[in-house]
């Protein structure tokens, strides 16, 4: 029995049919063609599939798509505006904080959520917030610097 | 620090840190990786994998599986052609094509838990999974070998009945699990040890570890009735996928096109094939495109981890610290098929030191684990964990500063490398001196803290590369090359092209092309891309420049010998009477039609002159004496890059390699049950470092120009993982007074050692 | 193959009725709270079809009520929602820390205390913290409403005391005594993302002179279920929680532990470290009760 689900994805109303045991990650990638959200493990251990569910950071591999009824999702495709990258995206590029880039979509979403919740994160807070976003290329150094730099820039822009 | 100078003078763009050309795609989710491609009518495939680590396959029954609605094709070993033995060319690890074919799909035997036995393509993943569950296989379990000692025992059961040890003076009478023995010696080892005042002798153990790339292996294959196949896949080497797949399926290379997708990490692990031949066969059988994506669990169980090792090391020195002799017995696990990185291990175990006498003997040992693949400086981290641990112990016994001891014995320009050539323009001493002067070497330590030092080394390779540069009508450029960009190499290629052509970096786009559009290019590996493909890009740019000179000379109606390329412009030589202004690339490109047509530069080469890269790492740790937990509180990586084209990406290699090494030292390991089943096949219990485990990783790039490259580049990608194992161990030893010789130094192992030391 | 179904009832009564109806029809049901354990298990261990019943739209499972009688914590409250409640953390800091330790920020956005308890892992972080706080399970089912102490709720590895048709609605924690506090510590090899190798939850109450009048000590990941360790509590009661008393409690925890060796730690290691954690948690709880950091 397929479930019919009405939700909002990246600000747009979206309706889809899914199986009851289908995950949000599967629906995003396979039914909505939003392949920016990546699957690294399927068990919530790597963070590559991070999305915002009603503004809360979650692993989309650990959410049933059927739970989305009436709720909203933001994916990496919904972070930048048509005019400009989000400061997190811009700073990740300036700091060369990605090598292969597979973890980057999850890092972008998680870092945006961090700064939204805590505009002035310390290094330790940034590291613990991002502990669920595995990166095997960078050793995290440049990611942490980029995210803190983005937070600083956003504070500067709003003050 | 020295600085390389281009023929045109000081660099204008090399050494700057611009945003990578593919940056936007990668921060917005637009970049397409291996699992992101789909085609109309595409099927999804799943594997049936062996539940035994070693068993004979008696029968496979796919009747029930075929009846599952939506199932379109099933393949087993019977669907694959027999492949003759032959050494694998390309890729980044040793091995044999016959073995590769059998690794892709088991035939009469399964040799490790997770070995592929069958694959199903169906209209949905769930249907494919259902069918996999309904395939019936009858196995006859065989004895399981999981470690070097049991596999090398004289009466050990055999993995392969027809494997005879190579490298012995005579072909042995009986088959063995040891595929190869290799020996490397110099000088009189007995005399060297006799002369020594101090001898350190220990056995070091390292576990099976995984590269841990975050993107699982993935591919999409489409077979056509014209026998032409196309494969989209995440790989470090699209040409290697092409040749390996063609070999495994006994097809002509002309019938196969490989399109490399963006690649989500590899570190050596994506230099061979697991999925591609299977996907093509499923596509051929079903007549539809087939996508195969490994689960994370399959990545751990059935891709290519890095060798576990056992190394017995002995070093002798005089009281003043001068080494007199070194010997090593090195055994590396190959997994279920021959081809561990034992050979590079033997070659590099003494490479950092100038020692008058040495002997290293290596063994390539088969066990019932997945066949190993390359992992960043394959073989070196294990070997230098032993050497650098022993050197540190020697420093402690002699009461010498560990950097002084290493400086005293360091190889330098003119030293005969233990693996053969004479070193020229190497950075070992420079790295050691930088480490000695580094503020992090002088920072005071608190209680339960300790500092470790270790040296890293990797040969680096050249190999074959091609590059083309197409000049657009407005004088901007497109570089076409064939190395998947795994860590920002498009930026390095664009910088080198821009530097040569005298145009802004932003005006260069870089295309990583497929196997029909790019010239033949070896794997993204061996720390070779910036060196060798970079050299091809520079030569292709120089090809353009020579054409520009010819065209300007024609426009000016002078002999080509009368013009020069200076600061990005064609100018007339002093004294040549030309009334026109100097011509830029854009000037000439705008008149291309008038001067001979489109401007296209190209180069193909087999790069010689790769320069070895040395490093020194400093590590400070704090050990909790009650739980045995180690916190890395400071880490410093110093490395000779030759010339850093894009310093941020060089630092990134150093930081990433350091952290992989820290993981290897502290927590990463394959844990097997007695039956050979990996018990921690997921990121929950295969514990790679997370952001909160680490401090910032400080870096210092040393630039001793490599004379073998126009800009002085030496590869930087692999050396960074070599030093950390011993750097961390030496720091733990300094903090605790222990002598840890087995990795990982997990909390239970350290606490047990602390308890044992209390007596 | 679409033999899975999904329902998200919006009231307790509707949920009880739905579960009863499915039971009648012999349909297997699976309660979904945060899903962070359940979805993984459903895809790796037990793939059999069932009806998924999402209880997150039932108000009682999502509420946090802190009053004079104590705390009523809805079973589906996500860790991040609990962590945001400073008033709860002031009284039950150990429980909030335990919930906060489960997984990454992403997991925190979903994983619930109730789910962690129902999953009944020997290493579940909230379970020792709940037991130390004398928490009671509030269960709804076809037979009505019942309560059960947390230490009696978990009956084995992955097994709990829920009967068919029942589900956990909330956890009730008694009001805190004056000068009392709790603490929870676990050991993991990394700093995040691991399952506890050993853990200890401690709650102590002190009199005006700083003498311990009541204590509960519970340990995790060292037996098939989390264990309440009365011997460790007895070692603390009547003392000022000085080094000797904490060491005695540590020894009692180590003695009570019945650990196994597995991929996460050896038997010896777990036994040793659970004592270390008991000692350290007791010190933290004492300092909090004395009015230090709350």
């Amino acid at each position: 029995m397929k479930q019919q689900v009405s939700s909002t994805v990246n600000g747009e109303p979206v309706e889809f049919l899914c199986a009851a045991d289908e995950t949000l990650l599967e629906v995003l990638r396979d039914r909505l063609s939003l392949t920016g959200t990546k699957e690294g493990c399927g068990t919530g251990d790597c963070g590559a599939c991070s999305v915002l569910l009603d503004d809360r950071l979650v692993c989309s591999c650990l959410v049933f798509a059927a739970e989305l009824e009436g709720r909203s999702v933001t994916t990496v495709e919904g972070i930048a505006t048509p005019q400009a990258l989000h400061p997190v995206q811009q700073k990740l590029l300036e700091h060369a904080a990605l090598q292969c880039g597979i973890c980057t979509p999850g890092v972008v979403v998680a870092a945006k959520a961090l700064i939204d919740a805590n505009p002035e994160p310390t290094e330790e807070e940034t590291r613990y917030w991002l502990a669920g976003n595995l990166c095997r290329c960078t050793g995290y150094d440049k990611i942490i610097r980029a995210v803190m730099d983005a937070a600083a820039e956003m504070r500067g822009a709003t003050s | 620090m020295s600085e390389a100078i281009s023929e045109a003078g000081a660099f204008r763009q090399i050494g700057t840190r611009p945003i990578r050309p593919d940056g936007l795609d990668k921060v917005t989710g637009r970049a397409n990786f291996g699992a992101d491609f789909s085609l109309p009518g595409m099927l999804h495939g799943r594997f049936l994998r062996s539940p035994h680590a070693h068993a004979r396959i008696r029968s496979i029954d796919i009747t029930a599986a075929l009846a599952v609605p939506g199932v379109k094709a099933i393949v087993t070993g019977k669907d694959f052609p027999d492949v003759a033995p032959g050494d694998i060319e390309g890729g980044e690890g040793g091995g044999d094509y016959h073995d590769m074919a059998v690794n892709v799909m088991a035939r009469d035997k399964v040799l490790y838990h997770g070995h592929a036995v069958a694959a199903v393509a169906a209209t949905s993943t769930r249907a494919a999974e259902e069918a996999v569950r309904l395939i019936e296989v009858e196995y006859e379990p065989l004895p399981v070998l999981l470690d070097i000692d049991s596999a090398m025992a004289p009466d050990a059961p055999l993995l392969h009945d027809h494997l005879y040890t190579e490298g012995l003076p005579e072909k042995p009478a009986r088959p063995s699990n040891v595929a190869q023995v290799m020996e490397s010696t110099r000088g009189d080892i007995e005399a060297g040890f006799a002369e020594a005042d101090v001898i350190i002798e220990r056995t070091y153990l390292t576990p099976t570890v995984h590269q841990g790339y975050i993107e699982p292996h993935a591919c999409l294959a489409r077979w056509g009735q014209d026998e032409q196949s196309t494969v989209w896949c995440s790989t470090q080497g699209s040409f290697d996928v092409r040749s390996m797949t063609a070999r495994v399926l006994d097809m002509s290379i002309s019938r196969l096109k490989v399109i490399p997708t963006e690649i989500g990490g590899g570190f050596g692990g994506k230099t061979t094939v697991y999925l591609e031949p299977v996907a093509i066969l499923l596509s051929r059988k079903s007549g539809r495109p087939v996508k195969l994506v490994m689960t994370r669990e399959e990545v751990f169980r059935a891709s290519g981890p890095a060798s576990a090792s056992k190394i017995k090391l002995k070093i002798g020195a005089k009281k003043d610290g001068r080494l007199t002799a070194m010997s090593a017995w090195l055994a590396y696990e190959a997994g279920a098929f021959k081809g561990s990185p034992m050979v590079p291990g033997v070659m590099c175990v003494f490479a950092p030191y100038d020692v008058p006498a040495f002997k290293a003997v290596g063994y390539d040992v088969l066990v019932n684990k997945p066949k190993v693949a390359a992992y960043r400086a394959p073989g070196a981290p294990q070997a230098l964990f032993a050497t650098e641990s022993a050197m540190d112990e020697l420093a402690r016994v002699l009461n010498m500063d560990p950097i002084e001891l290493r400086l005293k014995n360091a190889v330098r320009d003119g030293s005969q490398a233990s693996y053969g050539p004479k070193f020229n323009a190497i950075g070992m001493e420079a790295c050691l001196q930088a480490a000695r002067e580094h503020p992090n070497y002088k920072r005071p330590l608190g209680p339960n803290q300790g500092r470790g030092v270790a040296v890293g080394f990797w040969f680096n390779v050249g190999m074959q590369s091609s590059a083309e540069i197409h000049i657009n009508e407005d004088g901007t450029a497109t570089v076409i090359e064939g190395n998947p960009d795994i860590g920002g190499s498009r930026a390095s290629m664009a910088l080198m092209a821009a530097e040569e052509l005298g145009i802004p970096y932003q005006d260069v786009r870089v295309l990583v092309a497929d196997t029909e559009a790019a010239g033949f290019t070896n794997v993204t590996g061996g720390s070779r891309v910036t060196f060798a493909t970079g050299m091809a890009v520079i030569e292709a740019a120089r090809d353009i420049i020579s054409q520009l000179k010819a065209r300007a000379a024609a426009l000016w109606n002078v002999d080509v010998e009368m013009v020069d390329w200076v600061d990005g412009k064609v100018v007339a030589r002093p004294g040549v009477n030309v009334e026109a202004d100097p011509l830029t690339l854009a000037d000439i490109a705008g008149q291309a039609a008038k001067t001979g047509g489109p401007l296209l530069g190209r180069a193909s080469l087999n790069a010689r002159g790769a320069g070895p890269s040395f490093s020194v790492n400093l590590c400070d740790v704090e050990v909790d004496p009650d739980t045995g937990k180690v916190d890395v509180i400071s880490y410093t990586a110093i490395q000779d890059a030759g010339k850093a084209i894009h310093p941020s990406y060089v630092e990134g290699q150093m930081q990433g390699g350091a952290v992989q090494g820290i993981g290897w030292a502290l927590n990463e390991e394959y844990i097997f049950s007695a039956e050979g089943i990996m018990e921690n096949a997921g990121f929950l219990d295969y514990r790679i470092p997370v952001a909160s485990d680490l401090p910032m990783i400080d870096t210092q790039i040393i630039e001793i120009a490599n004379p073998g490259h126009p800009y002085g580049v030496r590869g930087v990608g692999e050396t960074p993982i070599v030093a950390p194992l011993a750097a961390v161990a030496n720091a733990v030893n300094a903090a605790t007074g222990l002598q840890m010789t087995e990795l990982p130094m997990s909390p239970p192992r350290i606490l047990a050692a602390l308890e044992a030391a209390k007596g | 193959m679409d033999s899975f179904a999904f329902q998200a009832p919006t009231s307790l009564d509707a949920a009880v009725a739905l579960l009863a109806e499915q039971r009648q029809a012999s349909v297997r049901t699976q309660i979904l709270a945060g899903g962070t354990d359940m979805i993984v298990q459903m895809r790796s261990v037990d793939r059999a079809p069932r009806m998924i019943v999402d209880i997150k739209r039932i108000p009682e499972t999502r509420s946090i009520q802190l009053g004079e009688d104590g705390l009523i914590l809805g079973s589906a409250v996500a860790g991040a929602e609990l962590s945001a409640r400073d008033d709860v953390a002031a009284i039950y800091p150990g429980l909030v820390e335990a919930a906060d330790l489960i997984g990454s920020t992403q997991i925190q956005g979903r994983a619930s205390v109730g789910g962690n308890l129902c999953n009944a892992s020997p290493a579940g972080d909230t379970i020792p913290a709940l037991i130390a706080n004398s928490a009671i399970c509030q269960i709804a089912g076809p037979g009505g409403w019942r309560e059960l102490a947390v230490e009696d709720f978990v009956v084995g590895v992955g097994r709990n005391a829920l009967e068919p048709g029942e589900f956990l609605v909330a956890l009730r924690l008694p009001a805190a005594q004056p000068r009392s506090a709790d603490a929870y510590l676990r050991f993991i090899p990394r700093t995040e993302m691991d399952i506890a190798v050993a853990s200890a939850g401690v709650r102590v109450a002190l009199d005006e002179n700083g003498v311990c009048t009541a204590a509960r000590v519970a340990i995790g990941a060292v037996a098939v279920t989390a264990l309440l360790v009365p011997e460790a509590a007895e070692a603390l009661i009547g003392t000022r929680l000085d080094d000797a008393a904490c060491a005695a409690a540590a020894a009692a925890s180590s003695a009570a532990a019945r650990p196994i060796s597995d991929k996460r730690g050896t038997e010896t290691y777990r036994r040793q470290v659970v004592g270390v954690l008991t000692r350290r948690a007791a010190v933290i709880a004492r300092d909090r009760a004395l009015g230090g950091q709350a």
Side-chain angles (χ1 to χ4, degrees), chain B residues 716-731:
Chain B
V716 295
E718 294 176 287
T719 299
I721 203 175
V722 180
L725 281 60
V728 176
N730 293 339

Side-chain angles (χ1 to χ4, degrees), chain C residues 112-241:
Chain C
S112 64
V113 172
N116 190 239
L117 175 58
C118 289
N119 188 51
S121 159
D125 282 302
T126 62
I127 303 174
L130 287 168
I131 294 175
N133 279 299
S134 309
I136 305 291
C137 302
Q138 299 188 318
I139 297 162
W145 186 262
R146 68 180 177 119
E147 293 199 335
L148 190 64
V150 167
E151 55 267 38
D152 299 325
F153 181 81
V154 180
V155 296
V157 178
R159 291 193 299 124
N160 60 46
L162 290 174
E163 299 289 338
E166 286 189 327
F167 71 101
L168 179 67
V169 179
L171 290 147
R172 182 169 65 80
L173 277 68
Q177 299 171 46
R179 289 177 302 282
S180 76
D182 69 338
Y184 173 79
L185 291 176
R186 68 169 184 187
F187 182 82
I188 55 172
R190 292 181 290 190
T191 50
E192 275 282 3
M193 306 303 291
D194 286 331
I195 304 290
V197 176
S199 65
V202 176
R203 181 154 198 112
V204 295
L206 311 180
D207 66 14
E208 293 88 341
N209 301 316
V211 174
C212 178
T213 56
R216 272 170 80 89
V217 176
I219 54 179
V222 289
V224 289
T225 66
L227 299 175
L228 181 67
V229 191
E231 300 82 359
E234 281 155 25
L236 299 175
I237 294 168
T239 75
R240 289 174 181 279
L241 304 175

Side-chain angles (χ1 to χ4, degrees), chain B residues 627 629 685 688 692-693 755, chain C residues 190-191 263-264 269 272:
Chain B
T627 64
K629 183 172 178 171
D685 286 302
I688 76 172
S692 49
D693 292 343
E755 294 292 313
Chain C
R190 292 181 290 190
T191 50
K263 61 191 172 187
R264 292 175 186 148
Y269 184 76
Q272 204 164 345

